[in-house]
Amino acid sequence: MNVVNANSVVMKKLLVFTVVMFVFGFALVPFYEKICEVTGLNNLLQADTLVENPQVDTARWVTIELDANVRGLPWQFKPLQRSVSVHPGEMVQVMYEISNNSNREINGQAIPSYSPQLLAKHLKKLECFCFSKQVLKPNEVRQMPVQFMIESNLPADINTVTISYTFFELGTNNAAAMRDSGNRS
Amino acid sequence: MAAVDHDIAHAHDDHHPTGLMRWIGATNHKDIGTMYLWFSFIMFLTGGVMALTIRAELFQPGIQIVNPELFNQLTTMHGLVMVFGAIMPAFVGFANWQIPMMIGAPDMAFARMNNWSFWLLVPAALLLISSFFVPGGAPAGGWTIYPPLSVQMGMGMDMAIFALHIMGAASIMGSINIITTVLNMRAPGMTLMKMPLFVWTWLITAYLLVLAMPVLAGAITMLLTDRNFGTNFFNAAGGGDPVMFQHIFWFFGHPEVYIMILPAFGIVSEIIPTFARKPLFGYSSMVYATASIAILSCIVWAHHMFTAGMPAAGQLFFMYATMLIAVPTGVKVFNWTATMWRGSMTFETPMLFAIGFIFLFTIGGFSGVICAIVPIDIQVQDTYYVIAHFHYVLVSGALFALFGGTYYWLPKWTGHMYDETLGKWHFWLSMFFFNLAFFVQHFLGLAGMPRRVPDYALQFADFNMISSIGAFGFGLTQLLFLYVVLKCIRGGEKAPASPWEGAKTLEWTLPSPAPYHSFETPPVVK
Amino acid sequence: MKEKKAKLDGGKLLQISGAVFWAFFGVRKQSDLELDASTLTPAQVIIGGIVGAALFVGSLMLLVSLVTS
Ligand code: HEM
Ligand SMILES: [Cu+2]
């Protein structure tokens, strides 16, 4: 085998390796999702499981402010009450309402966000409209529950928390929508 | 002799195109090496001007010179230009000049591809820099281009992504060329274990490049489709995850920092034995340690993400792994020191830069280990402490090695000796101003000054002023370097084949300046 | 191109794992290195290196789980 051939053999091997690594970059996406799922990190779409007989701390009140937003889709979205006061350990249900103000069918997904961040650890959700996408027909109005509990080991200095949901439209170019809605500050 | 490649075979006649065509159509490894070096020096000055603008703004608290938007663009572009435009191409330039001469090959394996890898860089750099002039300006979210900012930015971001794609493709082609040259084109008798360490470190670096660059290409392709084609890889609203970008980016990014330092290790490992007039202590350890650093560098990436949200078990894993990677790095420092031990040393400019490298790189290594300790990093992450860390490893590490290597090989490249007095001035001024600019940034970071901000609280004022003075001094000193190099190209004392008494590698058997075609008949290495 | 029939007996495995271990540490005696270079094939070293890296990751994870439990 002369040097020219030997060189092109090495080049081909390295090109294959390059392509493999390029694909590997994309393979990290499902891999990452799998890890998050297996380790229970960052699971937005699954209901939590509850411990048996949670202790209700009737001596303590926590105020929960409910916040609702839409980003870039023609819906109205609001909680039916602005805030609720609950005991840690107590199961509560709150209602939200969405209405589609346009005459097209729209798929939306709600993403939760908590303040303080620490709340994420102590909030157990049994049911939520955010576990799946919501499909609204033209001008449809829907009321949806969230059922949850705040664990009684929430640090004692926290008396008021905020649970916020934002609806995003699925199946469109969110990046472009975000740019167009003047999101660049 | 072996007919190697038609490009090389063609080069047998001594006529070669002159003028502009010589450079545009260049396939000679020395011409291409020269172009890489000048390209990277121009980019170095470009990035340097950005850095000095940043430092001018930070000279005093308050906003004086650039508005915050432009400031953010400058920090981002400074990083991108220095990493992808200055440091990486400079090392490729060294590889082009030196690898064929050091292993006794007539040229690189794929001379035509070599030409493309260089010329791709030029449009890529123009694309990157012209992003300053489009609506919305250059990318401004940091050189790490994290979403969501990088998804929301204007078209400057698309241009940067394309530029990175092209530069990535160019460096993959360059790496393929280097690996093939080293594996297949060595002179008879030049076994792998006889190769100079510079060649070894570049071989391993080239493997790291083909491993890491495609992953970056994947990540920025995902960014591009998120931006323009409605995918949701990093968009939380669509089920994606911005933190995932950080993981993919740093899976590339940490090997990348070693890509920028391993060839520097190689250069220093050539300089130290020459001026200590002793063979490198622990040659084999050096080879093994380089390989080990390369492998380990693929499993420490999340030390850049300790504050991005990670379970304690993950933080501990990456903390332990990162601290262990310092072991083979430390072994190298010991080997260099041991090489100098009882050597008959002289302190010409290349040696000064090499010793400066060892000294300051070690400081950077230590601050790296400090950043790797999770509870400390939670304090210093995104502060000037991290800036200080990586400038100690990149400027006084990679860049000092590049300066040292330039002085070391300039006689071979130009046929003239450089001006030793001015070279020493360049070293001492660089050393002084570098430390003036960056040492105080450790204190700023520990005191809590965040990075990437155009304004700061009053208590940081003094150190920032000192740092800015140092930065301007360092920047101006580099014009002296330019002068020394130009002077050396245009004339000076005639350099003998081997101007350095202790130099043992093959390139010193060639006359100075190295002939346009060298080792067409391979030398025999005993 | 080269003989690929090197037998994997116990001594050979020991030599490979030794080479890989010292490589990770970054120190290797010159004589051992020459022995490695002349008797081990690249494939053996690469596979050894990958296995070594996997073991390294595994032992770190074990350590972490001990520390965090
Ligand atoms: C002893 C070896 C090293 C260790 C233990 C180490 C550790 C670290 C750690 C933990 C960080 C993250 C700090 C933070 O963001 O809070 C970091 C950042 C960084 N390191 Fe190192 N490092 C080492 C060597 C190097 C070398 C050799 C280079 C390059 C030549 C380098 C370049 C960088 C860069 C560029 C960053 C900052 C990236 C950014 O956020 O923009 N490091 N290092
Ligand atoms: Cu790193």
Side-chain angles (χ1 to χ4, degrees), chain B residues 211-297:
Chain B
L211 185 109
M213 286 313 278
V215 178
L216 174 70
I220 57 180
T221 307
M222 289 183 234
L223 263 189
L224 200 67
T225 58
D226 267 19
R227 289 172 56 81
N228 300 306
F229 303 110
T231 58
N232 288 308
F233 287 108
F234 308 125
N235 184 349
D241 189 339
V243 175
M244 181 174 71
F245 178 86
Q246 301 188 17
H247 280 287
I248 305 179
F249 180 87
W250 286 114
F251 184 86
F252 146 82
H254 191 80
E256 166 71 15
V257 307
Y258 279 95
I259 287 167
M260 292 189 283
I261 202 69
L262 292 183
F265 289 173
I267 293 177
V268 170
S269 305
E270 299 301 332
I271 295 177
I272 300 268
T274 296
F275 294 94
R277 294 167 179 76
K278 270 176 67 191
L280 185 69
F281 182 87
Y283 169 87
S284 45
S285 295
M286 291 300 239
V287 173
Y288 277 52
T290 312
S292 142
I293 291 175
I295 294 175
L296 294 180
S297 75

Side-chain angles (χ1 to χ4, degrees), chain B residues 250 253-255 257-258 300-301 303-304 322:
Chain B
W250 286 114
H254 191 80
V257 307
Y258 279 95
V300 298
W301 74 89
H303 63 216
H304 297 274
T322 306

Side-chain angles (χ1 to χ4, degrees), chain B residues 100-292:
Chain B
M101 292 202 295
M102 291 174 106
I103 61 174
D107 204 312
M108 299 293 281
F110 306 107
R112 185 66 59 193
M113 187 164 86
N114 208 5
N115 175 285
W116 296 339
S117 349
F118 172 76
W119 281 109
L120 278 179
L121 283 183
V122 178
L126 290 176
L127 193 62
L128 185 63
I129 293 181
S130 52
S131 69
F132 270 114
F133 307 105
V134 299
W143 80 278
T144 50
I145 48 176
Y146 284 177
L149 284 179
S150 55
V151 174
Q152 294 160 8
M153 251 152 219
M155 69 179 288
M157 191 69 214
D158 293 311
M159 296 167 72
I161 290 176
F162 278 130
L164 285 181
H165 267 131
I166 302 174
M167 291 182 176
S171 43
I172 289 171
M173 282 158 60
S175 312
I176 291 179
N177 215 338
I178 288 169
I179 295 175
T180 314
T181 309
V182 174
L183 291 186
N184 286 357
M185 317 250 312
R186 297 191 308 278
M190 175 65 77
T191 60
L192 282 179
M193 279 299 165
K194 276 194 191 138
M195 287 193 320
L197 218 79
F198 177 69
V199 182
W200 255 115
T201 52
W202 240 118
L203 177 65
I204 293 168
T205 304
Y207 273 112
L208 266 184
L209 271 167
V210 285
L211 185 109
M213 286 313 278
V215 178
L216 174 70
I220 57 180
T221 307
M222 289 183 234
L223 263 189
L224 200 67
T225 58
D226 267 19
R227 289 172 56 81
N228 300 306
F229 303 110
T231 58
N232 288 308
F233 287 108
F234 308 125
N235 184 349
D241 189 339
V243 175
M244 181 174 71
F245 178 86
Q246 301 188 17
H247 280 287
I248 305 179
F249 180 87
W250 286 114
F251 184 86
F252 146 82
H254 191 80
E256 166 71 15
V257 307
Y258 279 95
I259 287 167
M260 292 189 283
I261 202 69
L262 292 183
F265 289 173
I267 293 177
V268 170
S269 305
E270 299 301 332
I271 295 177
I272 300 268
T274 296
F275 294 94
R277 294 167 179 76
K278 270 176 67 191
L280 185 69
F281 182 87
Y283 169 87
S284 45
S285 295
M286 291 300 239
V287 173
Y288 277 52
T290 312
S292 142

